[in-house]
């Protein structure tokens, strides 16, 4: 719920204890590398469902600053937080999950920027190292290594993920929003 008090806006969520997806990723990478594809699918489908419900409501709601830190996880359940907080967040705080166009003055979130954030989040879940400041570059570097090292080395690094999914990610992370996927209904 959104509340206003003394000229300030604030959001209250129902209680949900858990760890942010960002912390889950940090812990997993510190222990054994990336999450396994089954876990990624289970978690990301819930993120997609939450975002799709928000987009398809009577009054569509854009998240605006989707990233692993805005997703709580507990026992395989996911809750997406921080819808609509973009006006209260500095643009640099959203890198690498913010679409390039959101860095422009006066830019507002769009379905295309949501798709970019979903793609960057999924890339972060699938890649063996954090996406850094440029998820598309991280994805391209990883795919080039897969092609160069062949299937046996690739399988150890994430070649177990279908090539079609890598293509979806590449299209979700296009710099120009007019050429990006235009739906949060990504299929994994």
């Amino acid at each position: 719920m959104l509340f206003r008090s003394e000229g300030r806006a604030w959001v209250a969520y129902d209680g949900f204890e858990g760890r942010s997806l960002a912390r889950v990723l940090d812990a997993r990478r510190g222990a054994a590398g990336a999450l396994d594809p089954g876990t990624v699918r289970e978690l990301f489908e819930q993120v997609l469902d939450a975002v799709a419900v928000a987009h398809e409501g009577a009054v569509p709601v854009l998240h605006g600053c989707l990233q692993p830190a805005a997703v709580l996880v507990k026992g395989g359940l996911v809750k997406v937080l921080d819808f609509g907080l973009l006006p209260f967040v500095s643009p640099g705080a959203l890198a690498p999950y913010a679409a390039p166009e959101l860095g422009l003055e006066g830019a507002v979130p769009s379905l295309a920027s949501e798709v970019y954030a979903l793609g960057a989040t999924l890339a972060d879940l699938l890649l063996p190292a954090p996406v850094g400041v440029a998820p598309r570059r991280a994805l391209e570097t990883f795919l080039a290594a897969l092609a160069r090292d062949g299937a046996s080395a690739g399988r150890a690094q994430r070649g177990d993920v279908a090539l079609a999914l890598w293509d979806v990610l590449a299209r979700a992370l296009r710099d120009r929003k007019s050429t990006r996927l235009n739906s949060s209904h990504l299929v994994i």
Side-chain angles (χ1 to χ4, degrees):
M1 286 187 127
L2 177 64
F3 296 92
R4 294 189 187 276
S5 176
E6 298 177 20
R8 299 180 90 186
W10 52 280
V11 177
Y13 292 96
D14 57 323
F16 186 82
E17 293 183 24
R19 292 175 33 185
S20 75
L21 188 52
R23 289 186 186 230
V24 170
L25 282 170
D26 288 344
R28 182 65 182 167
R29 286 180 175 135
L35 296 170
D36 69 90
T39 300
V40 169
R41 182 182 182 126
E42 181 181 314
L43 297 175
F44 196 69
E45 281 182 340
Q46 291 178 66
V47 171
L48 284 175
D49 287 346
V51 171
V53 166
H55 289 175
E56 295 168 356
V59 177
V61 175
L62 295 175
H63 191 281
C65 52
L66 185 67
Q67 58 184 309
V71 177
L72 287 184
V73 179
K74 181 179 182 183
L77 295 177
V78 164
K79 189 161 262 202
V80 179
L81 308 176
D82 301 341
F83 277 87
L85 295 184
L86 184 63
F88 308 103
V89 177
S90 69
L94 299 177
Y97 306 97
E101 66 271 12
L102 291 181
L104 303 173
E105 189 170 326
V108 294
S110 65
L111 189 55
S113 64
E114 297 275 285
V115 167
Y116 186 94
L118 287 164
T121 298
L122 181 56
D124 211 7
L125 289 169
L126 289 170
L127 295 175
V131 294
V133 295
R136 183 170 177 84
R137 206 168 321 138
L139 180 65
E140 288 169 350
T141 301
F142 174 75
L143 292 176
L146 277 180
R148 180 187 66 242
D149 297 340
S152 61
R155 287 230 179 271
Q157 288 191 44
R158 305 306 291 161
D160 49 351
V161 176
L163 288 177
L165 181 55
W166 295 120
D167 180 57
V168 167
L169 272 174
R171 292 185 301 144
L173 293 172
R174 288 183 176 158
D175 287 337
R176 291 184 48 217
K177 71 179 186 177
S178 63
T179 62
R180 202 175 296 143
L181 287 174
N182 61 4
S183 173
S184 60
H185 291 104
L186 303 178
V187 178
I188 63 172

